Amino acid sequence: MPSILIIDDEDNYLELCRRYMPEHSFLPPARNYRETAAALRRYAGQVDLVLLDVHFNIPDAELLPHDKQPLLARGGDPAKVFERLRRSQGLYILDQIRQSHPDLPVIVMTSRDDLPLEADAERLRAEDYTYLLADDYLDARALKLQIDGILAQRERHVAAASEPFYWGNSAAMIGLRRRLGILARGRLPVIIQGATGTGKSLVAREFIHPRSERAGPFVAVDLSTLPNDLMAAHLFGVVKGAYTGATSSREGVLARAHGGTLFLDEIGNLGLELQKSLLLVLQEGTYRPIGATKELQTDIKLVVATNENLAAMVRAGRFREDLYMRLNPATAVTLPGLRERRDDFQELLEWFMRRVTAEAYNRDLLAQYALQRGLPAPGPNDNLAVTVGRSIPPRGDARRMHVLLHPSSFKLLQEFDWPGNFRQFEMTLSNLLTFTLVDLVDRPERIEPEDLGEAGRPDIIPILPRTVSDLLRPMTAPAASEAPVEEVAADGADLARLAIVVRPGESLNAVSCAVERQYLEHLYERCLGDLGKMGEILLNDAGAGRKIQLRMNQLGIKLRRLKRRADG
Ligand SMILES: Nc1ncnc2c1ncn2[C@@H]1O[C@H](COP(=O)(O)OP(=O)(O)OP(=O)(O)O)[C@@H](O)[C@H]1O
Ligand SMILES: [Mg+2]
């Protein structure tokens, strides 16, 4: 039975609700903020919905904010100041609730005499999980409808709970999520900044688009991999015969994203001419396909990502200031890198580790391991437990296997630099689990009994510090000067041949990663940073640029540094 907390200085709502909604349970009401905080602590995780009054006739001392001095210091009649606080007290309480409970549904019961609400109504309407109900006369039916609607929606949300983007519980990330939720619903463009692998594309696709509540599709364009001469046609479309080679008309992404979200990744790569056209799209909602005589209308929500500093590009004359201003830079959101998330590193590690245990390849290995150790294979929906520490909880569920990260393993991972951020992190954890399982399954003799901890409990998968350092070492890129590369081919015709320095390493994996790194760095420079060309050379596939970029990230190659070297 869903539990509802009523925050109200009087019992009007409580009586009404109890009478008309016997199917819900109503927790003892809270009369002010202090009681609210106590109730939320006491019923942590059990409150499904909050009904919040706005006007509170309570003594001065119970009113928020705790520090009223700044308000009183502005002068005016103190009695009036307190009266205003009473008439808007619910909003102060809401602000406090949101600090700790960003996604708790709250219905704000407003009435005409709640004056301050007028000014706040728009902001509140834009918030996820905050609902306004105008309620001048207590209307049980309207209230019941709204409550049932919200609870049903919440159930659906919980069902689809595994959000693909992990936010964590730090105050900074909760704030970021809330802010992005608000930006997603608005009509203005959204800028997402952040280093590679911080989840910019993921947030645009999985978080902003679904929350924009737009019926049209999500269309993404990576401007860093799109050749300059194709960009205009790709964005705006082409009319048949516009130039030699335009043998048929083609829709651009602006047409495809109509009614939905257009995600322009690496917006810094957009040429100045096209910046002007994009500005027109934002200003007028119109554009002209190449070769067309008429302008077309489009209605898109624009989300752009960049790991360059757009403001600096504006100063350098490489990005139009008018477009920049139109992109709504005041609300730009920066996704933090993994190094900036040291505080919740353990939670992140556990979350990503659980996620990689669900990968098909790792599932197969897990099944083999279980079989070898006389355990039932974990089913596709059986979660593995992940524990960081020296010992694990006592064995409860026989089906449940445990990934145990020794404190030294944890420390190695925590102190690593992670230039490829969460992308690199996830791949590394996946490799870590795979290598551990392969070792356990194929070469059990290599495992020392004490490595298994807890007297060799069969349900434990120990992640050993040795495996972690084997995996991290090759990703610690040596300084460029340590890896001189001598070319054999003089004319560059034969890109596949070059001399590589091989140094002894700690493991074969480390040596081969070092070789691969030298080769890829070299090829990157020879191709002038054109990943598509590298794809052609390596895989016979110009579309494999992304794959190669991922591989280079995984090896810890810093593309930006190479690019500067190639440009300079
Ligand atoms: N917070 C997160 N929660 C879950 N997965 C994440 C998160 N951040 C990143 N990832 C993982 O990292 C991968 C890379 O994320 P994404 O492609 O969105 O990064 P990006 O910032 O767009 O990088 P780039 O600048 O290289 O395009 C995702 O596919 C996902 O697996
Ligand atoms: Mg991206």
Side-chain angles (χ1 to χ4, degrees):
M1 193 195 285
S3 301
I4 298 175
L5 175 67
I6 298 181
I7 310 173
D8 187 4
D9 58 323
E10 292 169 340
D11 277 338
N12 301 342
Y13 287 116
L14 187 63
E15 280 159 17
L16 186 82
C17 289
R18 286 216 168 116
R19 178 132 44 99
Y20 290 96
M21 290 167 247
E23 68 277 26
H24 300 317
S25 102
F26 294 90
L27 299 166
R31 308 291 185 199
N32 54 31
Y33 174 63
R34 192 178 49 74
E35 292 184 17
T36 304
L40 289 174
R41 263 198 310 278
R42 176 141 180 230
Y43 303 105
Q46 293 172 42
V47 182
D48 295 292
L49 180 76
V50 168
L51 288 191
L52 175 63
D53 190 16
V54 176
H55 194 155
F56 282 72
N57 259 323
I58 51 178
D60 293 356
E62 290 177 19
L63 288 168
L64 286 178
H66 295 300
D67 181 9
K68 300 171 188 70
Q69 219 40 55
L71 289 174
L72 293 169
R74 275 189 226 148
D77 181 357
K80 283 215 175 104
V81 171
F82 282 108
E83 182 50 23
R84 279 191 78 81
L85 285 182
R86 284 195 180 84
R87 286 169 73 178
S88 57
Q89 187 57 200
L91 304 187
Y92 284 90
I93 295 177
L94 181 62
D95 274 345
Q96 289 297 322
I97 295 178
R98 286 295 178 230
Q99 306 282 323
S100 50
H101 295 73
D103 8 329
L104 181 62
V106 177
I107 301 182
V108 182
M109 320 290 299
T110 72
S111 77
R112 223 165 305 154
D113 90 324
D114 304 326
L115 281 178
L117 198 74
E118 275 301 302
D120 286 289
E122 196 169 338
R123 168 179 75 92
L124 293 179
R125 272 198 199 96
E127 265 187 22
D128 273 344
Y129 307 110
T130 299
Y131 309 84
L132 301 189
L133 185 67
D135 199 29
D136 282 319
Y137 47 100
L138 300 175
D139 178 350
R141 212 149 45 142
L143 184 58
K144 182 173 155 49
L145 263 179
Q146 182 140 21
I147 289 182
D148 289 347
I150 293 169
L151 290 174
Q153 194 185 8
R154 187 168 172 80
E155 223 163 82
R156 282 198 298 278
H157 258 151
V158 172
S162 49
E163 232 185 69
F165 191 86
Y166 179 72
W167 295 92
N169 298 313
S170 69
M173 291 306 286
I174 288 176
L176 197 64
R177 180 172 189 275
R178 178 157 175 237
R179 194 148 147 230
L180 269 170
I182 294 172
L183 293 174
R185 294 229 209 136
R187 293 195 55 80
L188 295 177
V190 181
I191 304 180
I192 313 175
Q193 296 165 332
T196 181
T198 47
K200 300 183 294 296
S201 306
L202 195 65
V203 157
R205 188 179 62 238
E206 303 290 344
F207 189 82
I208 298 186
H209 177 62
R211 266 151 227 270
S212 73
E213 288 170 10
R214 295 173 64 85
F218 175 83
V219 179
V221 184
D222 185 350
L223 296 177
S224 68
T225 53
L226 203 61
N228 272 331
D229 45 346
L230 298 184
M231 232 180 242
H234 194 77
L235 292 178
F236 300 106
V238 196
V239 170
K240 182 176 170 182
Y243 49 77
T244 3
T247 49
S248 60
S249 294
R250 243 181 318 129
E251 254 190 355
V253 290
L254 277 171
R256 279 199 280 135
H258 181 63
T261 306
L262 176 62
F263 175 54
L264 295 181
D265 206 351
E266 294 303 344
I267 182 84
N269 289 292
L270 196 65
L272 286 165
E273 249 334 281
L274 292 180
Q275 290 177 21
K276 202 161 129 194
S277 315
L278 184 61
L279 179 66
L280 270 179
V281 173
L282 291 178
Q283 274 171 345
E284 323 279 345
T286 59
Y287 66 100
R288 196 193 294 252
I290 300 175
T293 47
K294 276 209 312 234
E295 305 213 304
L296 298 182
Q297 291 282 334
T298 185
D299 165 30
I300 51 158
K301 163 107 183 163
L302 184 67
V303 180
V304 306
T306 176
N307 63 40
E308 290 185 88
N309 182 336
L310 287 181
M313 288 183 68
V314 169
R315 284 193 295 275
R318 287 194 294 135
F319 204 86
R320 289 179 69 111
E321 185 169 13
D322 45 9
L323 176 60
Y324 178 63
M325 295 320 291
R326 271 276 163 176
L327 291 176
N328 191 16
T331 62
V333 166
T334 304
L335 299 181
L338 186 48
R339 274 188 310 278
E340 294 149 71
R341 307 246 333 240
R342 294 279 182 234
D343 290 350
D344 53 354
F345 190 81
Q346 180 163 339
E347 282 168 45
L348 280 167
L349 179 62
E350 289 170 2
W351 191 87
F352 277 95
M353 189 53 116
R354 257 195 300 280
R355 180 148 99 171
V356 302
T357 62
E359 288 168 2
Y361 183 66
N362 286 327
R363 280 278 143 166
D364 286 350
L365 283 165
L366 279 167
Q368 289 178 37
Y369 178 67
L371 192 70
Q372 211 176 57
R373 314 206 86 208
L375 293 171
N381 296 320
D382 291 340
N383 263 331
L384 263 67
V386 177
T387 306
V388 175
R390 219 165 272 285
S391 57
I392 39 156
R395 207 169 160 203
D397 181 355
R399 294 185 69 87
R400 209 161 156 87
M401 303 219 297
H402 241 102
V403 178
L404 179 64
L405 272 129
H406 191 272
S408 324
S409 302
F410 176 75
K411 194 155 172 265
L412 284 168
L413 291 167
Q414 192 181 29
E415 285 169 4
F416 189 70
D417 203 36
W418 301 114
N421 290 301
F422 300 95
R423 179 184 291 120
Q424 186 187 21
F425 188 54
E426 184 170 9
M427 282 182 188
T428 304
L429 293 186
S430 177
N431 286 336
L432 198 52
L433 184 67
T434 305
F435 290 180
T436 298
L437 287 169
V438 167
D439 262 352
L440 286 167
V441 170
D442 294 351
R443 294 184 298 170
E445 74 284 353
R446 267 196 66 198
I447 310 289
E448 307 288 337
E450 66 267 24
D451 285 347
L452 286 172
E454 304 279 304
R457 263 192 24 198
D459 56 330
I460 293 175
I461 302 156
I463 305 281
L464 306 180
R466 179 175 75 223
T467 320
V468 179
S469 47
D470 274 358
L471 207 66
L472 294 183
R473 197 172 303 110
M475 293 195 293
T476 317
S481 58
E482 281 173 30
V485 173
E486 280 166 39
E487 274 171 61
V488 172
D491 59 3
D494 187 358
L495 276 164
R497 288 182 61 206
L498 77 153
I500 279 180
V501 179
V502 181
R503 292 210 177 81
E506 301 257 337
S507 68
L508 273 181
N509 181 43
V511 175
S512 56
C513 284
V515 168
E516 189 183 353
R517 189 180 317 110
Q518 288 178 54
Y519 179 66
L520 287 177
E521 285 192 350
H522 175 77
L523 196 57
Y524 185 84
E525 282 181 26
R526 293 301 298 265
C527 295
L528 301 175
D530 183 343
L531 291 164
K533 196 157 166 199
M534 289 175 72
E536 238 162 57
I537 292 168
L538 294 174
L539 298 169
N540 238 337
D541 174 8
R546 191 76 184 161
K547 219 183 256 174
I548 288 166
Q549 188 181 3
L550 288 176
R551 180 68 189 162
M552 291 175 80
N553 281 339
Q554 192 180 22
L555 289 165
I557 299 175
K558 298 209 169 78
L559 287 188
R560 208 106 55 85
R561 178 173 55 81
L562 285 182
K563 205 165 173 194
R564 270 202 299 275
R565 230 194 303 161
D567 290 348

